[in-house]
Amino acid sequence: MILTSCVYVQEKKSETLPACSHLARARSLSCSLPPFANIGFKPAQNSAQRKAAAAAAAEAAATRQPEHRSVEMYHPAYWVVFSATTALLFIPGVPVRSGDATFPKAMDNVTVRQGESATLRCTIDNRVTRVAWLNRSTILYAGNDKWSIDPRVIILVNTPTQYSIMIQNVDVYDEGPYTCSVQTDNHPKTSRVHLIVQVPPQIMNISSDITVNEGSSVTLLCLAIGRPEPTVTWRHLSVKEGQGFVSEDEYLEISDIKRDQSGEYECSALNDVAAPDVRKVKVTVNYPPYISKAKNTGVSVGQKGTLSCEASAVPMAEFQWFKEDARLATGLDGVRIENKGHMSTLTFFNVSEKDYGNYTCVATNKLGNTNASITLYGPGAVIDGVNSASRALACLWLSGTLFAHFFIKF
């Protein structure tokens, strides 16, 4: 009956038994009642009785012993552990300034190359009760317990003087701040170290080999990545030493390109992390032929005589030989024409009087043509006495013929 009355009073939150309703909220199920509850107390019927009952209840409440609280909830050791854990994981702590001799002391910034292993060390002492390594807001290790799911992160040392972890096969996304957090009897402290990941230079995109006509504009591209950002340099390999560097930029622009600007261009990406990455691009400049070598030749009758003609051109020139207005061919009239690269030769196996005279070498490619006059003469001939007007007329006629031939072919 007394227990039922206690529960009833708790649910109704009666002010008649405040001690009972208060104790019902504690984990202990004990309920203290006023002394007069044990003798079947009933509510008073008049004012005198009500006053007496109120005085007795007040006296009982004043002399009642404090309630027994649950040990597991309110024991001081519980709150020490709870507070320390909360401070270690959620409170930033007191940063250790540069030069501060107190613990924890982390390393200076750690710099490693991509693919290597990074070791993060934290110096502590015997005052430390709990330790942890964090990456930004993520816990990597708490003591010997691993919280990170990354298999590359391992613990190296956990002693009273040092707490170290290792990150294997480091990549660029591992770069950033790491925090060594410790708990002491006083308060938590933290120390930070910044991981810097260096990446060797690598050329990711470069122009392909290119062929252009002389006078055109050319732009070469070379894009490279790396940490720190690499320096890109273009160099023309076909020029004299000391004149090869033409650009220190990702883009190399050449306006009105000339034939002597053809050749290989080298792109080099360098950031001092590793050896530079080097790639090459070949630039071909087309230009019409020009005859660079044509020499008159003197040969006696009955001897072997050779006329030679050398022409530079891109693409390579095709050669033709003429005597006056007649085109010569191999095997006719005892002559042989041989073309090798930039050189063409006209050979007479048995020179006769009718072979002496003026010959014209013509070099042609898709961009144009050029010609040169060469003389085969006998002993004692005066080459300077040849009629210059006749030569000019012959060259003019040949130029018209070659132009028509070039137009039809190309």
Side-chain angles (χ1 to χ4, degrees):
M1 183 66 182
I2 295 174
L3 180 59
T4 304
S5 175
C6 177
V7 174
Y8 171 79
V9 170
Q10 179 188 4
E11 291 178 354
K12 295 299 184 176
K13 300 182 180 179
S14 171
E15 296 180 358
T16 305
L17 300 177
C20 181
S21 62
H22 174 72
L23 289 176
R25 289 192 298 269
R27 290 196 173 187
S28 175
L29 296 178
S30 61
C31 184
S32 298
L33 296 177
F36 45 79
N38 295 325
I39 58 174
F41 172 78
K42 294 183 179 180
Q45 301 298 320
N46 53 47
S47 60
Q49 290 176 327
R50 287 196 297 272
K51 291 180 180 180
E59 181 181 357
T63 59
R64 186 173 65 252
Q65 296 296 325
E67 300 86 344
H68 173 70
R69 297 177 183 268
S70 174
V71 173
E72 62 175 316
M73 182 67 182
Y74 299 104
H75 195 281
Y78 173 85
W79 289 106
V80 171
V81 174
F82 178 79
S83 300
T85 304
T86 303
L88 178 62
L89 300 181
F90 300 103
I91 300 177
V94 181
V96 178
R97 296 183 297 272
S98 176
D100 193 343
T102 62
F103 63 91
K105 183 178 181 182
M107 334 170 41
D108 294 330
N109 290 344
V110 177
T111 301
V112 296
R113 294 182 183 178
Q114 186 182 36
E116 296 180 347
S117 297
T119 300
L120 307 180
R121 297 185 181 90
C122 184
T123 302
I124 56 179
D125 63 15
N126 56 11
R127 291 176 291 173
V128 175
T129 58
R130 287 177 176 80
V131 289
W133 270 106
L134 301 89
N135 178 11
R136 301 177 180 88
S137 60
T138 302
I139 302 175
L140 301 178
Y141 264 93
N144 290 322
D145 297 329
K146 184 175 182 179
W147 288 48
S148 171
I149 62 174
D150 191 339
R152 302 175 303 132
V153 182
I154 60 175
I155 190 169
L156 289 182
V157 180
N158 186 6
T159 66
T161 58
Q162 187 180 127
Y163 186 52
S164 303
I165 62 172
M166 174 183 285
I167 305 174
Q168 301 171 329
N169 193 22
V170 171
D171 210 336
V172 292
Y173 52 77
D174 296 315
E175 183 170 299
Y178 289 78
T179 303
C180 174
S181 179
V182 303
Q183 176 67 36
T184 67
D185 295 334
N186 297 324
H187 51 261
K189 292 185 178 181
T190 63
S191 182
R192 282 192 175 187
V193 58
H194 198 91
L195 178 62
I196 301 173
V197 180
Q198 294 184 330
V199 181
Q202 182 180 4
I203 296 176
M204 302 299 296
N205 187 14
I206 190 170
S207 298
S208 303
D209 294 347
I210 186 173
T211 299
V212 296
N213 293 337
E214 190 173 31
S216 302
S217 295
V218 176
T219 300
L220 301 181
L221 168 67
C222 182
L223 298 179
I225 61 173
R227 285 176 175 237
E229 185 176 354
T231 300
V232 177
T233 303
W234 279 103
R235 185 164 67 102
H236 189 194
L237 300 179
S238 301
V239 299
K240 296 180 180 180
E241 186 177 355
Q243 301 177 359
F245 288 96
V246 294
S247 174
E248 293 186 357
D249 193 5
E250 296 173 341
Y251 293 89
L252 172 61
E253 297 182 355
I254 307 174
S255 301
D256 190 23
I257 192 168
K258 301 295 188 295
R259 62 191 67 179
D260 58 356
Q261 292 176 299
S262 63
E264 287 189 327
Y265 286 79
E266 179 185 85
C267 174
S268 176
L270 176 65
N271 67 356
D272 295 330
V273 175
D277 190 15
V278 177
R279 301 274 293 276
K280 297 177 182 178
V281 176
K282 184 178 181 180
V283 177
T284 302
V285 180
N286 292 332
Y287 58 91
Y290 72 94
I291 295 176
S292 56
K293 183 179 180 181
K295 186 177 180 180
N296 300 325
T297 303
V299 180
S300 299
V301 173
Q303 300 297 314
K304 181 180 178 179
T306 302
L307 301 179
S308 61
C309 177
E310 183 176 350
S312 297
V314 178
M316 193 173 295
E318 296 180 358
F319 292 93
Q320 298 178 26
W321 287 91
F322 293 84
K323 183 177 182 183
E324 296 179 354
D325 58 350
R327 179 180 175 182
L328 303 180
T330 296
L332 297 178
D333 300 325
V335 298
R336 182 181 67 187
I337 299 175
E338 188 175 9
N339 299 324
K340 291 183 178 180
H342 299 287
M343 180 74 70
S344 178
T345 58
L346 175 63
T347 303
F348 303 87
F349 294 99
N350 187 9
V351 175
S352 64
E353 289 288 345
K354 67 179 182 63
D355 294 327
Y356 293 137
N358 184 49
Y359 293 83
T360 302
C361 170
V362 179
T364 306
N365 72 1
K366 64 180 182 180
L367 298 181
N369 65 81
T370 187
N371 63 79
S373 179
I374 307 174
T375 302
L376 178 66
Y377 59 92
V382 180
I383 304 304
D384 294 338
V386 177
N387 191 314
S388 59
S390 299
R391 286 187 179 181
L393 184 61
C395 289
L396 182 62
W397 178 86
L398 281 174
S399 297
T401 304
L402 291 172
F403 178 79
H405 175 75
F406 173 78
F407 181 78
I408 295 173
K409 185 173 182 179
F410 295 100

